[in-house]
Amino acid sequence: MYGIPGFESGATAATFSFEHSSEEDALEIARRWFGVAATGALRLDTERDDSFKLETADGDRVLKLAHPADKIGTIDLQLRAMQYVGRADPALPLQRIIATPQGGSSLALPGGRVACMLEWLPGTLLLDATTGQHELGALGDTLGRLSKAMDGYANPDAARLSAWELRTVPRLATILAEVK
């Protein structure tokens, strides 16, 4: 799991910490590497990477800077899955990738971090939403569509361990003593 050394990234606790990027860094990366003149950047709370909401003349965007320990295959897996789902169900509400100036989905920055830019998807976090039977039903419908859209997706990096999967619960139990 992102945030748990030894799962998706193979990072150890010793290599886990890094210097986070600032809002000013995000504005410079957007301009220099993506050709996007953002007028503002807001850090988003994330588990592992550096993510920023960027205000641009073409609409809000998200700039994601992967954790330095993340393997490019893991990032590629995520981006290709987003593209696959977008083609399978174009009406599904999910972020779309903003291509790099070279036409790719991500780019390697000096220093080893990988960056990508996504469309901003407006809305309310489920945590902050008032939910009733209707909202939970709509959520179930959307998750069913997402699952159906993922049918047939294959990527060699998909075999990695993820703490978000039930099959990893026994392994997670071994680290509970370290949780403070």
Side-chain angles (χ1 to χ4, degrees):
M1 166 176 144
Y2 287 169
I4 297 179
F7 271 85
E8 294 175 349
S9 70
T12 64
T15 63
F16 203 70
S17 62
F18 66 99
E19 185 174 336
H20 289 277
S21 297
S22 68
E23 285 87 354
E24 292 77 21
D25 295 333
L27 292 170
E28 176 62 17
I29 291 167
R31 184 195 62 74
R32 182 173 180 191
W33 298 100
F34 287 89
V36 172
T39 57
L42 174 68
R43 174 178 287 283
L44 301 173
D45 289 333
T46 63
E47 180 183 5
R48 182 172 171 85
D49 58 18
D50 286 328
S51 292
F52 301 89
K53 179 181 181 183
L54 302 177
E55 298 171 8
T56 78
D58 295 321
D60 293 339
R61 304 282 186 252
V62 175
L63 175 67
K64 294 184 69 66
L65 306 173
H67 188 287
D70 286 346
K71 297 176 183 173
I72 188 66
T74 301
I75 298 160
D76 185 60
L77 164 76
Q78 296 166 357
L79 295 172
R80 287 182 188 264
M82 290 174 70
Q83 291 169 326
Y84 186 88
V85 168
R87 286 189 300 272
D89 187 345
L92 194 64
L94 65 112
Q95 293 174 299
R96 309 295 184 204
I97 298 167
I98 306 295
T100 67
Q102 298 77 26
S105 58
S106 66
L107 51 83
L109 299 174
R113 295 190 73 181
V114 177
C116 68
M117 192 171 289
L118 308 168
E119 292 177 349
W120 175 257
L121 188 62
T124 303
L125 295 175
L126 183 58
L127 173 71
D128 300 327
T130 302
T131 56
Q133 187 173 2
H134 174 74
E135 291 81 12
L136 294 175
L139 175 62
D141 289 345
T142 301
L143 292 174
R145 287 175 55 202
L146 176 61
S147 181
K148 182 178 179 185
M150 286 293 296
D151 276 350
Y153 177 70
N155 185 298
D157 289 298
R160 83 216 186 292
L161 286 176
S162 171
W164 297 103
E165 299 175 53
L166 288 177
R167 67 186 171 127
T168 62
V169 169
R171 185 166 177 195
L172 289 173
T174 65
I175 63 168
L176 282 177
E178 297 179 33
V179 177
K180 294 182 174 52

